[in-house]
Amino acid sequence: MAEIGIGIVGGGYMGKAHSVAMAAVGAVFETRLRPRLEMICASSPESAERYRRAFGFARATHDWRALVEDPQVAAIIIATPQALHREISEAAFALGKPVMCEKPMGTSVAEAQAMVDAAEASGQANMVAYNYIRTPASQFARKLIADGEIGDITWFRAEHTEDFYADPQAPATWRATGRANGNMGDLAPHILNASLALIGPIRSIMADIETVHADRPGGTVTNDDQAQIMCRFDNGVMGHLYISRTATGRKMGYAYEIFGTKGAIRFDQEDQNALWLYRAEGPEAERGFRKILTGPAHPDYLPFCQGPGHGTGYQDQIIIEAHDFLKAIETGEPVYPTFRDGLAVNHLIEAAWASSETRSWQDVATL
Amino acid sequence: MAEIGIGIVGGGYMGKAHSVAMAAVGAVFETRLRPRLEMICASSPESAERYRRAFGFARATHDWRALVEDPQVAAIIIATPQALHREISEAAFALGKPVMCEKPMGTSVAEAQAMVDAAEASGQANMVAYNYIRTPASQFARKLIADGEIGDITWFRAEHTEDFYADPQAPATWRATGRANGNMGDLAPHILNASLALIGPIRSIMADIETVHADRPGGTVTNDDQAQIMCRFDNGVMGHLYISRTATGRKMGYAYEIFGTKGAIRFDQEDQNALWLYRAEGPEAERGFRKILTGPAHPDYLPFCQGPGHGTGYQDQIIIEAHDFLKAIETGEPVYPTFRDGLAVNHLIEAAWASSETRSWQDVATL
Amino acid sequence: MAEIGIGIVGGGYMGKAHSVAMAAVGAVFETRLRPRLEMICASSPESAERYRRAFGFARATHDWRALVEDPQVAAIIIATPQALHREISEAAFALGKPVMCEKPMGTSVAEAQAMVDAAEASGQANMVAYNYIRTPASQFARKLIADGEIGDITWFRAEHTEDFYADPQAPATWRATGRANGNMGDLAPHILNASLALIGPIRSIMADIETVHADRPGGTVTNDDQAQIMCRFDNGVMGHLYISRTATGRKMGYAYEIFGTKGAIRFDQEDQNALWLYRAEGPEAERGFRKILTGPAHPDYLPFCQGPGHGTGYQDQIIIEAHDFLKAIETGEPVYPTFRDGLAVNHLIEAAWASSETRSWQDVATL
Amino acid sequence: MAEIGIGIVGGGYMGKAHSVAMAAVGAVFETRLRPRLEMICASSPESAERYRRAFGFARATHDWRALVEDPQVAAIIIATPQALHREISEAAFALGKPVMCEKPMGTSVAEAQAMVDAAEASGQANMVAYNYIRTPASQFARKLIADGEIGDITWFRAEHTEDFYADPQAPATWRATGRANGNMGDLAPHILNASLALIGPIRSIMADIETVHADRPGGTVTNDDQAQIMCRFDNGVMGHLYISRTATGRKMGYAYEIFGTKGAIRFDQEDQNALWLYRAEGPEAERGFRKILTGPAHPDYLPFCQGPGHGTGYQDQIIIEAHDFLKAIETGEPVYPTFRDGLAVNHLIEAAWASSETRSWQDVATL
């Protein structure tokens, strides 16, 4: 058992989630590598110190370079706005330090590609923080598909839907400007990652992206609210994605439905402890979607509870992610999704914008 | 109270449903106009006689002209294959007899247009038998939207999914050839009708249509298995439709989800006695989709039962349809969907094929 | 194929349901015996004539003896208040005419016993109209249990819950007086019948019966609102029943949950087209309650629709019941539940009252 | 911000859960009092050391007295078998140290009473670890009821159901002997606590307790498998409880259903992030149970995630409990459920056994 000093850049929503995860992961997974909350960085000395005390770090800084270069910091988590992803990760890799970076990587394909290059040149562990694919249910779904349990896939539908901007009277905040803060920049990456993880590479897409409520109290919305994407995967599967921040009533609609020749799968993150499975076998009179409650028989559930049906939550998937990052560091083996895996999402976002703007099918760049 | 002699052309799946409906509708709705099962027509004298006895008609024939021309037959229901829709309805309208025709009208836009012309020239009652839109739940959904209860619509998603051809080993029967028998010809019209009924006219579409399993035991499949359609309604709403006969696990997935600025609606025919409604009002802590069970407070439920939550079924929606047809005959007022309303569905199917073949957005012809 | 003249005594809620059922059952089940709506009886000449016209009977009367004795009336359905059940059925059996009687049989065990005696002396078809046990889902549940598919039963829980008297401000109508109109007299029989049908005879019970809202606008409530019953079946199974007309939010909560050594079953009439089945077999990771949608593979579904998942409704279960009554008449074979089967429910109601009043376990009289 | 040394006696299922909770609670709730994992005790030096390393404690011991008396240990969590609860807590209180004790308190009412006396004599913080009542959903349910949002309660039904002993072939392990390990000793306390927390004191009960499968591979079962309890609360509410470890298909069926004059509530721990609420208000056509997803608007959710619908899990409710224990220590104010609150559960268990054995209603001792 060895300690490892963790530095986290960013103390907001995700900065806190990663901090809690690093505080808990050792006891949960009984890891050999034990994280020590070494340093946290925020935009001002005051906020950094506030986060340090709140989350239990040893030290604080408002200079991310100081954090990256600190000798006690052996692994770095980037939870900043996208604009800083590239610079911080390049600095960390240059010093031979492993990096987990929040999604999506950088602000463009070019930045993401540069980050991949830096990661691979360094040979260090690198992960993009797509945490939703790590729930026991979604891991199990992925395994069922990979094992051929539902046969050849014939249809895939997924969505990432929330409703925080469904009310046209919700004010125009920072969310209303900048592609990175828009629907495609902020929400779409999660479900695009899920699509790739569950079914495989996408070869062509046809997208329609729009701003639903252009005028809000306090200003004009200059980024996008909702989008739909028809696609074809490399294996020929027809697919559809819907992403929206104006989906009234939906709180965490990270959901998918998959039909195969031998069965079908349904999942909705709003009920994250259930996976629905249909098997086209047995007497017709007894067929139906079964609601499987996650339990010790499913991936990464047991460390949280010995009893089935007791459930894991949002914070737990971040703890699973922290565990995977530690594994990547300890073993030197890549853990999905690496920066290279994450780059594919950036390619898809770029292709979606091109498709929507030209109103035509777009091939997705091969990696 | 007056009797009206009903003639039904076709004795199969829908022929039986209409026969039962006409036998029951009088007692259910306590109608003034009372149907009398006068004559049924089928392809041979033997089958016609068999249907006559089975369903309780007075007379049988294998000559649809004899049925249409019979003086005791005052209203005609066409439940034949699509190829006969035009000829039969034209003959009936020429004699001044009202017609209810199974969906979709005819085999092409041209045929459907001819049927509209004949219907309107005759001035007789004319309806297309889109029965799913008549459930108490879907009628109520339509009313909620029309009344503005969920505000301005921002997103519409619908599907018609079944799985009778999901198994690649299901044999190539009559279902495997002919556009009329394919997924777009057979299943799509229902949900296209629902889209028009709930949201309004569609102005442009982008479709992807495919045959999922081209080779089946017994032959090659020459028509289509599944399709998806992105669309924009005249009012700007973004929409998506998915239609499939290979949707493993789905038995009667006539379903839709609608987001508006003030609320949201969800419905699935597999649970046809529930409508899910979300209202973006009241304390945040108490918001959620509510499962409304249909009851006497909803359209056309009370004649079936005085108690809420007791439920109506498939046959009941055909009885509601029969009641509407009788109303149209009795009052002379058009009842939705008229032949003209039905024509819009044919236009959409035609545009979808053109879009899929050219891989481009297609404007839908204005009616 | 032969006609049979049907006479129905009572034109209210259930009188209408039986009338519609008899109008439709021939075409639905393609029966050999075809009902003819011969005569309806109601409390005044005016109401009888109104029902005759509304439901399509040939003749009307306000004298039930005239109906029973009419030579054109060959089978009788009793849909009157409980107080008349005995007299009418005895008169019918004396004339050798088959009877279907609304639940529960008579107002007491003594009356019910007299009805059984009359029925068995006549040798005529006799049925008690417990229609909820006839849905395709509940018939299938019964079959699964009988076939041992869920192993030895270890627990049974059932309820019949509605909320029409949940509001303390709902006025004291006829429902507020008379045991026959109370919760135990009106609602409990349905779910007691279900318990017997699914699990078998009950040997002892412990009940708690109460009036929840004793004072209502318009008067004092002198009968009961809700009850719970612990029981032991003859086979040793532990069970619980809850019956209430003050179950806020419940509209038609005829529901049960059954655990066995090999599986489990859940059903709720509010979602009557689904049966939930759990099988304790296969990999732990894939176990879960499956939602089976009723379809042609289930009892008495196919006559209503060839497609699975299309659903049946309340009126359809009355049609199934009508079909069973016709079968009993035609074949001379008893169809469940006969008057003797119905008597068991009366015994349970009596024992429940005794238990609640003495606050002690009561053995149920052996039949 | 101050540190507090935590000592945990017991390293199994619950020992781990409390360890993780104490490791995470500071960062999650940003507490002023920060737990330090000071010492863990297990039955042997080897197992104690193994837990120390696994969960990250500073020191280990196999002597619980050493732990209790250690000057660095300022607060004690008892996660041992019930037989040790009394002795350990008395020792801790004698030293003026706060105690959180696993449920149920001790092995009898007498022991529980002694523990209450010791706790109250010491004046130290004391809590019984009923964690399920602490989920955001159940806390919110409790608040809705207390605020009168569903009016006067008229019915309460609850269950704690699992299926780990549903298979008659599951071997007779330690679970098969000793009342403490039986269904009433192990599972019932959770849901009895919930009943008291949601509705209030219970005044009389009528129970039926049984061993479902007496013979198992490896031996005879000498304790109980399932039980049902009818009850009356002090406020007159009629209630029912069902507790089972043979409830096939149920994994964590901690569930309740509550009817009131103005609304109704439903909850099931298997879907712990949803609370179902029915309000008897607004148009009849729009009434229905709404599925409320927990979010920042609900108690103790926000520290885990800023977004609604993202969900909390089993481990999170232990973290909430840890937070409450820290609050009790810091503020000196009692936090529910105190030892006195916990004693009521022991009284109920005792009364249930007496009732089942005498087959009669039992009054519950007033505290």
Side-chain angles (χ1 to χ4, degrees):
Chain A
M1 204 152 85
E3 275 201 352
I4 180 168
I6 303 292
I8 298 182
V9 191
Y13 193 155
M14 293 316 302
K16 175 171 181 179
H18 290 297
S19 299
V20 172
M22 284 296 171
V25 63
V28 171
F29 280 93
E30 308 179 13
T31 58
R32 271 187 295 178
L33 209 51
R34 291 287 162 126
R36 190 184 62 246
L37 299 184
E38 186 58 41
M39 194 182 292
I40 190 159
C41 172
S43 51
S44 72
E46 294 72 25
S47 63
E49 173 57 17
R50 192 173 70 244
Y51 290 134
R52 187 196 68 74
R53 291 173 57 93
F55 307 150
F57 280 81
R59 292 177 292 150
T61 178
H62 68 288
D63 173 7
W64 65 260
R65 288 181 196 281
L67 181 145
V68 169
E69 292 166 5
D70 189 278
Q72 301 302 317
V73 171
I76 287 142
I77 298 174
I78 305 175
T80 66
Q82 296 166 31
L84 284 170
H85 287 181
R86 175 184 177 171
E87 208 174 0
I88 300 173
S89 58
E90 284 178 342
F93 289 131
L95 291 166
K97 297 185 179 181
V99 175
M100 176 157 65
C101 180
E102 266 305 319
K103 42 59 52 179
M105 296 161 62
T107 59
S108 65
V109 165
E111 279 201 0
Q113 181 65 59
M115 290 169 70
V116 172
D117 294 345
E120 298 187 349
S122 80
Q124 290 301 313
N126 56 93
M127 268 177 70
V128 190
Y130 286 111
N131 54 67
Y132 292 101
I133 201 67
R134 307 191 113 83
T135 55
S138 282
Q139 284 193 64
F140 185 57
R142 211 178 160 202
K143 178 171 158 45
L144 285 170
I145 296 165
D147 291 352
E149 295 289 335
I150 60 167
D152 296 328
I153 308 304
T154 55
W155 168 254
F156 175 80
R157 183 171 69 77
E159 65 182 81
H160 187 120
T161 44
E162 305 194 30
D163 71 354
F164 58 81
Y165 249 14
D167 181 355
Q169 295 308 309
T173 60
W174 59 272
R175 290 185 179 283
T177 51
R179 279 208 173 169
N181 301 321
N183 182 62
M184 286 301 292
D186 184 27
L187 303 188
H190 279 301
I191 204 67
L192 287 166
N193 170 258
S195 307
L196 299 172
L198 292 164
I199 311 296
I202 289 172
R203 72 166 181 237
S204 58
I205 66 180
M206 172 71 225
D208 191 8
I209 303 173
E210 73 169 349
T211 305
V212 176
H213 303 302
D215 297 306
R216 292 184 175 278
T220 299
V221 177
T222 60
N223 57 16
D224 53 307
D225 283 333
Q226 79 173 351
Q228 66 170 319
I229 303 173
M230 302 203 308
C231 71
R232 288 284 183 161
F233 290 83
D234 277 11
N235 54 16
V237 171
M238 188 190 278
H240 183 258
L241 297 156
Y242 173 59
I243 307 107
S244 175
R245 59 186 189 182
T246 57
T248 307
R250 287 295 259 164
K251 305 307 175 186
M252 188 52 219
Y254 174 97
Y256 46 82
E257 162 187 85
I258 307 166
F259 298 140
T261 49
K262 293 166 58 183
I265 285 172
R266 279 181 177 172
F267 174 76
D268 190 332
Q269 183 78 11
E270 289 185 355
D271 189 11
Q272 73 186 271
N273 290 299
L275 188 74
W276 293 79
L277 173 66
Y278 180 95
R279 280 192 177 284
E281 66 184 27
E284 190 65 39
E286 294 186 17
R287 293 187 188 178
F289 275 92
R290 69 186 81 164
K291 184 181 184 179
I292 302 169
L293 297 175
T294 53
H298 301 108
D300 284 338
Y301 177 100
L302 183 58
F304 295 97
C305 188
Q306 292 176 28
H310 287 57
T312 56
Y314 174 77
Q315 182 62 53
D316 297 333
Q317 73 210 38
I318 316 292
I319 293 174
I320 293 170
E321 182 176 71
H323 180 226
D324 287 337
F325 186 41
L326 293 177
K327 268 198 298 193
I329 294 170
E330 191 182 358
T331 66
E333 298 297 321
V335 171
Y336 181 90
T338 63
F339 275 28
R340 182 161 288 275
D341 297 318
L343 173 60
V345 172
N346 293 65
H347 275 294
L348 285 170
I349 294 171
E350 193 161 273
W353 277 109
S355 171
S356 185
E357 284 159 4
T358 61
R359 291 173 58 81
S360 66
W361 281 93
Q362 293 287 314
D363 288 342
V364 180
T366 309
L367 300 184
Chain B
M1 205 151 84
E3 275 200 351
I4 179 168
I6 303 292
I8 298 183
V9 190
Y13 193 154
M14 294 314 303
K16 174 172 181 178
H18 290 297
S19 299
V20 171
M22 284 296 170
V25 63
V28 172
F29 280 93
E30 308 179 13
T31 57
R32 270 187 295 176
L33 209 51
R34 291 286 162 127
R36 189 183 64 246
L37 300 185
E38 185 59 39
M39 195 183 292
I40 190 156
C41 172
S43 51
S44 72
E46 294 72 26
S47 62
E49 173 58 17
R50 193 174 68 244
Y51 291 134
R52 187 196 67 74
R53 290 173 58 91
F55 308 150
F57 280 81
R59 291 178 292 151
T61 178
H62 67 287
D63 173 7
W64 65 259
R65 287 182 198 279
L67 182 145
V68 169
E69 292 167 5
D70 190 278
Q72 302 302 317
V73 171
I76 287 144
I77 299 175
I78 305 175
T80 65
Q82 295 166 31
L84 285 170
H85 288 181
R86 177 183 175 173
E87 208 173 359
I88 300 173
S89 58
E90 284 179 342
F93 288 130
L95 291 167
K97 297 185 179 182
V99 175
M100 177 157 65
C101 180
E102 266 304 318
K103 40 63 53 181
M105 295 161 63
T107 58
S108 65
V109 163
E111 280 201 0
Q113 181 65 60
M115 290 169 71
V116 171
D117 294 345
E120 298 186 348
S122 80
Q124 290 301 312
N126 56 94
M127 269 177 68
V128 191
Y130 287 111
N131 54 68
Y132 292 101
I133 202 66
R134 307 191 112 82
T135 56
S138 281
Q139 284 193 63
F140 186 56
R142 211 178 159 201
K143 179 172 157 45
L144 285 169
I145 296 165
D147 291 352
E149 295 290 334
I150 61 167
D152 296 327
I153 308 305
T154 56
W155 168 253
F156 175 79
R157 183 171 70 77
E159 66 183 79
H160 187 119
T161 45
E162 305 194 30
D163 72 354
F164 58 82
Y165 249 15
D167 181 355
Q169 295 308 308
T173 60
W174 58 271
R175 290 186 178 283
T177 52
R179 277 207 173 170
N181 300 321
N183 182 62
M184 287 299 293
D186 184 27
L187 303 187
H190 280 301
I191 205 65
L192 287 166
N193 170 257
S195 307
L196 299 172
L198 292 164
I199 311 296
I202 290 172
R203 72 168 180 235
S204 58
I205 66 179
M206 173 71 225
D208 192 7
I209 303 173
E210 73 170 350
T211 304
V212 176
H213 303 302
D215 297 308
R216 293 185 175 278
T220 300
V221 177
T222 60
N223 58 16
D224 52 308
D225 283 334
Q226 78 173 351
Q228 65 170 318
I229 303 172
M230 302 202 309
C231 71
R232 288 283 184 162
F233 289 83
D234 277 9
N235 55 16
V237 171
M238 188 189 280
H240 182 258
L241 297 156
Y242 173 60
I243 307 107
S244 174
R245 61 186 188 182
T246 58
T248 307
R250 288 294 260 165
K251 305 307 175 187
M252 187 51 219
Y254 174 96
Y256 46 82
E257 163 188 86
I258 307 166
F259 298 140
T261 49
K262 293 166 56 183
I265 284 172
R266 280 181 176 171
F267 175 76
D268 190 333
Q269 183 78 10
E270 289 185 354
D271 189 11
Q272 73 187 270
N273 290 299
L275 188 75
W276 293 80
L277 174 66
Y278 180 95
R279 281 194 177 281
E281 66 183 27
E284 190 65 38
E286 294 185 19
R287 293 187 189 178
F289 276 91
R290 70 185 80 164
K291 183 181 184 179
I292 302 170
L293 297 175
T294 52
H298 302 107
D300 283 337
Y301 177 99
L302 183 57
F304 296 96
C305 189
Q306 293 176 27
H310 287 57
T312 55
Y314 173 75
Q315 183 62 54
D316 297 333
Q317 72 210 38
I318 316 293
I319 293 174
I320 294 171
E321 182 176 72
H323 180 226
D324 287 337
F325 185 42
L326 294 177
K327 268 197 298 192
I329 294 170
E330 191 182 357
T331 65
E333 298 297 321
V335 171
Y336 181 90
T338 62
F339 275 28
R340 180 161 289 278
D341 298 318
L343 173 60
V345 172
N346 293 65
H347 274 294
L348 286 170
I349 293 171
E350 192 161 274
W353 278 109
S355 171
S356 185
E357 283 158 5
T358 61
R359 290 173 57 82
S360 65
W361 282 94
Q362 294 287 314
D363 288 342
V364 180
T366 309
L367 300 184
Chain C
M1 206 151 84
E3 275 201 351
I4 180 167
I6 303 292
I8 298 182
V9 190
Y13 193 154
M14 292 316 301
K16 175 171 181 178
H18 290 298
S19 299
V20 172
M22 284 295 170
V25 63
V28 170
F29 279 92
E30 309 180 13
T31 57
R32 270 187 296 178
L33 210 50
R34 290 286 161 127
R36 189 185 62 247
L37 299 184
E38 185 59 39
M39 195 183 292
I40 190 156
C41 173
S43 51
S44 72
E46 295 71 26
S47 62
E49 173 59 17
R50 192 173 69 244
Y51 291 134
R52 188 197 66 75
R53 291 172 58 90
F55 309 152
F57 281 81
R59 290 178 292 150
T61 178
H62 68 289
D63 173 5
W64 65 259
R65 288 181 197 279
L67 182 145
V68 170
E69 292 166 7
D70 189 277
Q72 302 302 317
V73 170
I76 287 143
I77 298 174
I78 305 175
T80 66
Q82 296 166 30
L84 285 171
H85 288 181
R86 175 184 177 172
E87 208 173 359
I88 300 173
S89 57
E90 285 178 341
F93 288 130
L95 291 167
K97 297 186 179 183
V99 175
M100 177 158 64
C101 181
E102 266 305 318
K103 39 65 51 180
M105 293 161 65
T107 59
S108 66
V109 165
E111 281 201 358
Q113 181 67 59
M115 291 169 71
V116 171
D117 295 343
E120 298 187 350
S122 81
Q124 290 301 312
N126 55 94
M127 270 178 68
V128 191
Y130 287 111
N131 54 68
Y132 291 103
I133 201 66
R134 307 191 113 82
T135 56
S138 282
Q139 285 193 63
F140 186 56
R142 212 178 158 200
K143 179 173 157 44
L144 286 169
I145 295 165
D147 291 351
E149 296 289 335
I150 61 168
D152 295 329
I153 308 305
T154 56
W155 168 253
F156 175 78
R157 183 171 69 77
E159 66 182 80
H160 187 119
T161 44
E162 306 195 30
D163 71 354
F164 57 83
Y165 249 14
D167 181 356
Q169 295 309 308
T173 61
W174 58 273
R175 292 186 178 282
T177 52
R179 277 207 174 171
N181 301 321
N183 182 61
M184 285 301 290
D186 185 25
L187 303 187
H190 280 301
I191 204 68
L192 287 166
N193 170 258
S195 308
L196 299 172
L198 293 164
I199 311 297
I202 290 171
R203 72 168 179 235
S204 57
I205 65 179
M206 173 71 223
D208 192 8
I209 303 173
E210 74 169 349
T211 305
V212 177
H213 303 302
D215 297 308
R216 292 183 175 279
T220 299
V221 178
T222 60
N223 57 16
D224 53 307
D225 283 334
Q226 77 173 354
Q228 65 171 319
I229 303 173
M230 302 203 308
C231 71
R232 288 282 182 163
F233 290 83
D234 277 8
N235 54 16
V237 172
M238 187 188 278
H240 183 257
L241 295 156
Y242 173 59
I243 307 107
S244 174
R245 60 186 189 183
T246 58
T248 307
R250 288 294 260 165
K251 305 307 175 185
M252 187 52 219
Y254 173 96
Y256 48 82
E257 161 189 87
I258 307 166
F259 298 140
T261 49
K262 292 166 58 183
I265 284 172
R266 280 182 177 170
F267 175 76
D268 190 331
Q269 183 79 9
E270 289 186 354
D271 189 13
Q272 73 186 270
N273 290 299
L275 187 75
W276 293 80
L277 173 66
Y278 180 94
R279 280 192 176 284
E281 66 183 27
E284 191 66 39
E286 294 185 18
R287 293 188 189 177
F289 276 92
R290 70 186 79 165
K291 185 181 184 180
I292 301 170
L293 297 175
T294 52
H298 301 107
D300 283 338
Y301 177 99
L302 182 58
F304 295 96
C305 189
Q306 294 176 27
H310 286 58
T312 56
Y314 173 75
Q315 182 62 53
D316 297 332
Q317 72 209 38
I318 316 293
I319 294 173
I320 294 170
E321 182 176 71
H323 179 225
D324 287 338
F325 186 42
L326 294 178
K327 268 197 299 192
I329 295 170
E330 191 181 357
T331 65
E333 299 296 323
V335 171
Y336 181 90
T338 62
F339 276 27
R340 182 161 287 277
D341 298 317
L343 173 60
V345 172
N346 291 66
H347 275 294
L348 286 169
I349 293 171
E350 193 160 274
W353 277 109
S355 172
S356 185
E357 284 158 5
T358 61
R359 289 172 59 82
S360 67
W361 281 93
Q362 293 289 313
D363 288 342
V364 179
T366 309
L367 300 186
Chain D
M1 206 152 82
E3 275 200 350
I4 178 167
I6 304 292
I8 298 182
V9 190
Y13 192 155
M14 293 315 302
K16 175 172 180 176
H18 289 298
S19 299
V20 171
M22 284 295 172
V25 64
V28 171
F29 279 93
E30 309 180 12
T31 58
R32 268 187 298 178
L33 209 51
R34 291 286 163 127
R36 189 185 62 246
L37 299 185
E38 186 58 39
M39 194 182 293
I40 189 157
C41 173
S43 52
S44 72
E46 295 71 28
S47 63
E49 172 59 16
R50 191 174 72 244
Y51 290 134
R52 187 197 67 72
R53 290 172 58 90
F55 308 150
F57 280 82
R59 291 178 293 150
T61 178
H62 67 287
D63 173 5
W64 65 259
R65 288 182 196 280
L67 181 146
V68 169
E69 293 166 4
D70 189 278
Q72 301 303 317
V73 171
I76 287 143
I77 299 174
I78 305 175
T80 66
Q82 295 166 32
L84 286 169
H85 287 181
R86 175 183 176 171
E87 209 174 359
I88 300 173
S89 58
E90 285 179 341
F93 288 130
L95 291 167
K97 297 186 180 182
V99 175
M100 176 157 65
C101 181
E102 266 305 319
K103 40 63 51 181
M105 293 162 64
T107 58
S108 65
V109 163
E111 280 201 0
Q113 181 65 60
M115 290 170 70
V116 171
D117 294 344
E120 297 187 350
S122 80
Q124 290 301 313
N126 55 94
M127 268 176 69
V128 191
Y130 287 110
N131 54 67
Y132 291 101
I133 202 66
R134 305 191 114 83
T135 55
S138 281
Q139 285 193 62
F140 185 57
R142 212 179 159 199
K143 179 171 158 44
L144 285 169
I145 295 165
D147 291 352
E149 294 289 336
I150 61 167
D152 296 328
I153 307 305
T154 55
W155 168 253
F156 175 79
R157 184 171 70 77
E159 66 182 78
H160 187 120
T161 44
E162 306 196 30
D163 72 354
F164 58 82
Y165 249 14
D167 181 355
Q169 296 308 309
T173 60
W174 59 271
R175 290 186 179 282
T177 52
R179 276 207 174 170
N181 301 321
N183 182 62
M184 286 300 292
D186 185 26
L187 304 187
H190 280 301
I191 204 67
L192 287 166
N193 170 258
S195 307
L196 299 172
L198 292 164
I199 311 296
I202 289 172
R203 73 167 179 236
S204 59
I205 66 180
M206 172 71 224
D208 192 7
I209 303 174
E210 75 169 348
T211 305
V212 176
H213 302 302
D215 298 306
R216 291 184 176 278
T220 299
V221 178
T222 60
N223 57 16
D224 52 308
D225 283 334
Q226 79 173 351
Q228 65 170 320
I229 303 173
M230 302 203 307
C231 70
R232 287 284 182 164
F233 290 83
D234 278 9
N235 55 17
V237 172
M238 187 189 279
H240 183 259
L241 296 155
Y242 173 59
I243 308 107
S244 175
R245 61 186 187 181
T246 58
T248 307
R250 287 295 260 164
K251 306 307 175 186
M252 187 52 217
Y254 173 96
Y256 47 82
E257 163 189 87
I258 307 165
F259 298 139
T261 49
K262 293 166 57 183
I265 284 172
R266 281 182 175 169
F267 175 76
D268 190 332
Q269 183 79 9
E270 289 186 354
D271 189 13
Q272 73 186 272
N273 291 299
L275 188 74
W276 293 80
L277 173 66
Y278 181 93
R279 280 193 177 282
E281 66 182 27
E284 191 65 40
E286 295 186 17
R287 293 187 188 178
F289 276 91
R290 67 186 83 165
K291 185 181 184 180
I292 301 170
L293 297 174
T294 53
H298 301 107
D300 283 338
Y301 178 101
L302 183 58
F304 295 96
C305 188
Q306 294 176 28
H310 287 58
T312 56
Y314 174 76
Q315 182 61 53
D316 297 332
Q317 72 210 39
I318 316 293
I319 294 174
I320 293 171
E321 182 176 70
H323 180 225
D324 286 337
F325 186 41
L326 294 177
K327 269 197 299 192
I329 295 171
E330 191 182 358
T331 64
E333 298 297 323
V335 171
Y336 181 90
T338 64
F339 275 26
R340 182 161 287 277
D341 297 318
L343 173 60
V345 173
N346 292 65
H347 274 293
L348 286 170
I349 293 171
E350 194 160 273
W353 277 109
S355 171
S356 185
E357 285 159 3
T358 61
R359 289 173 59 82
S360 66
W361 280 94
Q362 293 288 313
D363 288 343
V364 180
T366 309
L367 301 186

